[in-house]
């Protein structure tokens, strides 16, 4: 049995530990950076947006990881198996980036030499994301601007403890927001039409242990014209109170049990087909990769080995009331990431 949080609570107690491990369908736990009892060097906060129509995607990140800041812009072209990612890093931001303590409202902006990122949220269901970078790739500059709207009423919220005191992960994934806008690079403009373009927000706050490997999968699109998607994953912290696995259909969240990623070749052959299985039989998928957005940074004490694989899912998902949603060539991604941070 997974524990559902049903009322608004402080996220952390007086010791900096989670008040109530578990999951929620709305942002009920209240995050306060001042309540954290760990060193500022260990606090990790980020906003990550992915906007996609199944053919191409834009990913934007602003992160303050205590000892290290990171801003990132990605252009991914799944049809042509191509991507560019640029991720400028900074030293010792220690919270000065000013990421909001809630995902419900507030603006986040950060810039550096030759680039700027801005995430604006008016608190009334409209988000505007802009990004520009002068030297993005061999063909020059990148510019992107997208408006997000039609935010679903429910989302995935999870409070995951680690075995170490005052360490925790507080995360919200908002799937299936409609997107309108465009991005331009190398003389080509990629348009996001709200008829088929959707976004996910990965909103993360916490104090992590040093070495982790996580698995994450996400999809936001539509099934027979109805907004549909999912969040699946595991691999870090103590997940006995709840998994982060959840379906989203027409604005409502449907909780799943455990989902296993079956990556071929000893979890190293990322471009061969994967499968996904669930302990409750409610998520069974076959995944055909189109593009592996791979990167590896290894400077011994700090390491990030990432494989974010975009592709097409075929299979079934079962809602809480037993309704079966069958999908074929449904766009999404799945990833394996090892971090020493």
């Amino acid at each position: 049995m997974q524990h559902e949080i049903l009322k608004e609570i402080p996220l952390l107690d007086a010791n900096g530990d989670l008040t109530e491990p578990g999951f929620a369908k709305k942002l009920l736990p209240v995050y306060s950076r001042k309540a954290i009892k760990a060193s500022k060097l260990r606090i990790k906060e980020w906003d990550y947006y992915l906007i996609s129509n199944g053919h191409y995607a834009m990913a934007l990140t602003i992160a303050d990881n205590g000892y290290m800041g990171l801003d990132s812009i990605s252009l991914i072209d799944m049809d042509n198996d191509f991507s560019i990612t640029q991720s400028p890093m900074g030293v010792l931001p220690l919270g000065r980036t000013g990421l909001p303590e809630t995902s419900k409202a507030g603006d986040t902006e950060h810039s550096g030499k030759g680039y700027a990122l801005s995430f604006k949220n008016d608190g009334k269901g409209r988000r505007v994301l802009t990004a520009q970078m002068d030297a993005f790739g061999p063909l020059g500059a990148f510019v992107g601007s997208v408006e997000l709207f039609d935010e679903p009423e429910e989302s995935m919220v999870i409070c995951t403890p680690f075995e170490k005191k005052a360490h925790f992960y507080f995360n919200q994934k908002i799937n299936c927001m409609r997107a309108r806008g465009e991005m331009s690079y190398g003389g080509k403009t990629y348009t996001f039409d709200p008829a088929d373009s959707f976004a996910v927000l990965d909103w993360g706050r916490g104090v992590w242990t040093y070495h982790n490997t996580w698995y994450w999968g996400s999809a936001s699109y539509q099934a027979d014209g109805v907004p549909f998607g999912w969040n699946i994953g595991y691999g870090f912290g103590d997940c006995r109170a709840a998994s982060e696995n959840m379906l989203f259909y027409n604005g409502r969240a449907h909780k799943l049990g455990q989902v296993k990623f079956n990556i071929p070749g000893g979890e190293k052959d990322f471009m061969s087909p994967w499968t996904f299985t669930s302990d409750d039989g409610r998520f069974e998928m076959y995944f055909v990769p189109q593009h592996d957005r791979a990167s590896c940074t290894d400077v011994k004490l700090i390491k990030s080995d990432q494989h974010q694989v975009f592709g097409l899912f075929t299979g079934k998902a079962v809602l809480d009331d037993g309704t079966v949603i069958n999908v074929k060539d449904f766009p999404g991604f799945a990833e394996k990431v090892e971090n020493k941070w």
Side-chain angles (χ1 to χ4, degrees), residues 38-319:
S39 164
K40 290 183 179 180
L41 291 167
R42 300 301 305 157
I43 299 173
K44 304 188 187 304
E45 301 179 321
W46 67 79
D47 291 2
Y48 167 88
Y49 288 92
L50 177 76
I51 304 94
S52 176
N53 63 6
H55 299 282
Y56 45 82
M58 175 173 69
L60 306 174
T61 305
I62 298 177
D64 186 322
N65 293 324
Y67 62 86
M68 176 267 289
L70 181 142
D71 303 318
S72 186
I73 300 172
S74 294
L75 183 160
I76 306 105
D77 185 334
M78 288 81 87
D79 288 348
N80 295 298
D81 191 15
F82 162 80
S83 67
I84 296 178
T85 296
Q86 297 289 352
S87 302
M89 297 173 66
V91 179
L92 297 175
L94 297 174
R96 289 190 295 269
T97 308
L99 288 155
E101 292 189 331
T102 176
S103 68
K104 296 177 182 178
D107 301 336
T108 302
E109 297 179 301
H110 206 243
S111 61
K113 185 178 180 179
Y115 78 91
L117 289 161
S118 173
F119 305 158
K120 293 187 176 295
N121 178 5
D122 65 6
K124 300 177 182 178
R126 180 175 180 266
R127 301 169 189 263
V128 177
L129 318 178
T130 59
Q132 68 86 18
M133 182 174 287
D134 296 340
F136 182 67
L139 300 181
F142 173 96
V143 177
S145 179
V146 176
E147 175 191 7
L148 307 183
F149 57 99
D150 281 0
E151 183 174 319
E153 183 176 343
E154 296 183 339
S155 60
M156 193 290 299
V157 177
I158 192 160
C159 305
T160 303
F162 289 88
E163 293 182 0
K164 192 172 182 179
K165 290 293 185 182
H167 284 59
F168 67 94
Y169 182 41
F170 180 43
N171 182 224
Q172 182 182 32
K173 303 284 190 2
I174 304 177
N175 287 61
C176 298
M177 293 181 282
R178 289 195 182 269
R180 176 191 293 114
E182 62 184 31
M183 60 179 176
S184 300
Y185 169 69
K188 182 176 181 179
T189 297
Y190 302 80
T191 299
F192 294 107
D193 185 329
D196 65 359
S197 299
F198 294 86
V200 60
L201 167 61
D202 173 9
W203 188 87
R205 306 290 187 268
V207 179
W208 286 60
T209 51
Y210 171 62
H211 188 192
N212 296 275
T213 298
W214 75 64
Y215 302 79
W216 178 34
S218 181
S220 293
Y221 201 60
Q222 47 198 353
D224 296 326
V226 178
F228 177 59
W230 56 77
N231 184 83
I232 53 176
Y234 58 94
F236 52 85
D238 182 349
C239 297
R240 287 177 294 178
S243 77
E244 65 173 272
N245 303 313
M246 196 173 280
L247 305 173
F248 309 99
Y249 185 80
N250 203 23
R252 296 293 181 179
H254 302 256
K255 192 71 183 69
L256 301 175
Q258 303 297 327
V259 175
K260 178 71 168 62
F261 291 41
N262 301 304
I263 306 171
E267 298 196 346
K268 295 180 180 179
D269 184 3
F270 295 99
M271 289 302 290
S272 290
W274 307 18
T275 60
F276 298 81
T277 58
S278 56
D279 63 350
D280 52 15
R282 293 178 55 192
F283 191 86
E284 304 294 325
M285 292 286 171
Y286 182 80
F287 176 64
V288 178
Q290 295 173 294
H291 177 73
D292 179 8
R293 193 186 69 80
S295 65
C296 185
T297 301
D298 189 353
V299 291
K300 304 309 176 186
L301 287 177
I302 300 174
K303 176 182 178 180
S304 182
D305 187 0
Q306 306 181 14
H307 290 270
Q308 184 182 32
V309 182
F310 293 82
L312 302 172
F313 291 83
T314 296
K316 72 168 187 177
V318 183
L319 306 183

